[in-house]
Amino acid sequence: MRFEEKTVSLKDGRSCLLRSPGPEDAAGMLAHLQITAGETDFLTRYPEEILMTEAEEEAFLQKVLDHPRQVMMIGVVNGAIAAGASVFAVSERMKLRHRAVFGIAIVKEYWHLGLGQLMTAECIRLAREMGFEQLELQVLSGNTRARRMYDQAGFEAWGSVKNGFKLRDGSYQDDVLMGLFLKNAI
Ligand SMILES: CC(C)(COP(=O)(O)OP(=O)(O)OC[C@H]1O[C@@H](n2cnc3c(N)ncnc32)[C@H](O)[C@@H]1OP(=O)(O)O)[C@@H](O)C(=O)NCCC(=O)NCCS
């Protein structure tokens, strides 16, 4: 789905436009994925695992726009994609379709400016509007900044997969599942 765009203020005074990406953003979105995957170990992919072509990404972004229960959000600062987030249904099967999954990645240059918190709040609102009953996410156990942000947004830890992530250096981190009941959330 496409959500109504809005402009928010970052902590440094700059404006950030929150909008749905479309097929025309394919190159920018692929660059964003590459940049964020290379800047942190806290995302699930290494940069070389981002293999979509621009044409595939265009088709993917159009599919998300056309889907009533999928939404993507980008934060654009001075014309550059600073952040991306998404809310996707876990499944369309009857037993699972009340659940959605949330993900977010912000370019390092734009960390600590309140953007994570703002986009998380907007995505929670959209998840509720799309009719989901609960919003879930997965986070590496060592990602204390993200976990604090999610705690503040009302998510709680529901469990974890021990050693769920194995990094290139051979170290492990638990895969922590967090969730938020949307019916009761603020
Ligand atoms: C995690 C991430 C989304 C946070 O986004 P952000 O825009 O930097 O976060 P915000 O500025 O909105 O801060 C949100 C909260 O995070 C926490 N936080 C931010 N910076 C922090 C710091 N230096 N130390 C501790 N907590 C911190 C705080 O709880 C903060 O709220 P507060 O400012 O009211 O104290 C962003 O750092 C990111 O994209 N990281 C890489 C990818 C990633 O980890 N994605 C999540 C995968 S599950």
Side-chain angles (χ1 to χ4, degrees), residues 143-160:
N143 196 352
T144 47
R145 294 187 48 248
R147 291 178 71 177
R148 233 185 102 190
M149 184 181 83
Y150 298 139
D151 283 343
Q152 284 175 350
F155 286 87
E156 51 189 17
W158 285 349
S160 57

Side-chain angles (χ1 to χ4, degrees), residues 14-177:
R14 278 183 291 179
S15 292
C16 175
L17 176 67
L18 302 182
R19 66 168 175 84
S20 298
E24 67 283 3
D25 295 302
M29 291 299 283
L30 288 176
H32 172 75
L33 288 175
Q34 285 285 345
I35 292 166
T36 50
E39 285 180 338
T40 173
D41 274 340
F42 292 140
L43 295 168
T44 53
R45 280 186 281 210
Y46 284 115
E48 66 270 28
E49 294 176 307
I50 296 159
L51 299 169
M52 294 84 79
T53 63
E54 204 171 310
E56 285 167 346
E57 182 69 5
E58 272 176 28
F60 171 74
L61 292 169
Q62 186 60 55
K63 203 172 120 233
V64 174
L65 282 179
D66 294 342
H67 198 297
R69 282 160 37 92
Q70 293 184 350
V71 73
M72 291 184 75
M73 177 181 292
I74 52 173
V76 182
V77 180
N78 293 330
I81 299 178
S86 61
V87 176
F88 291 132
V90 165
S91 167
E92 291 303 328
R93 291 194 188 144
M94 287 169 69
K95 291 177 189 170
L96 299 172
R97 67 186 182 197
H98 61 296
R99 298 169 53 192
V101 178
F102 171 63
I104 184 166
I106 298 176
V107 176
K108 204 166 194 171
E109 189 189 333
Y110 301 94
W111 288 6
H112 313 295
L113 296 174
L115 190 51
Q117 227 160 24
L118 283 165
M119 289 179 69
T120 302
E122 287 299 317
C123 285
I124 291 171
R125 180 180 63 77
L126 291 169
R128 201 178 280 123
E129 275 177 26
M130 287 188 284
F132 293 107
E133 294 179 30
Q134 60 192 62
L135 188 58
E136 303 165 18
L137 61 88
Q138 286 171 275
V139 58
L140 275 75
S141 46
N143 196 352
T144 47
R145 294 187 48 248
R147 291 178 71 177
R148 233 185 102 190
M149 184 181 83
Y150 298 139
D151 283 343
Q152 284 175 350
F155 286 87
E156 51 189 17
W158 285 349
S160 57
V161 177
K162 296 288 172 200
N163 288 356
F165 292 99
K166 185 173 182 181
L167 304 190
R168 251 202 251 276
D169 64 4
S171 66
Y172 295 91
Q173 292 211 20
D174 294 347
D175 178 359
V176 180
L177 170 68

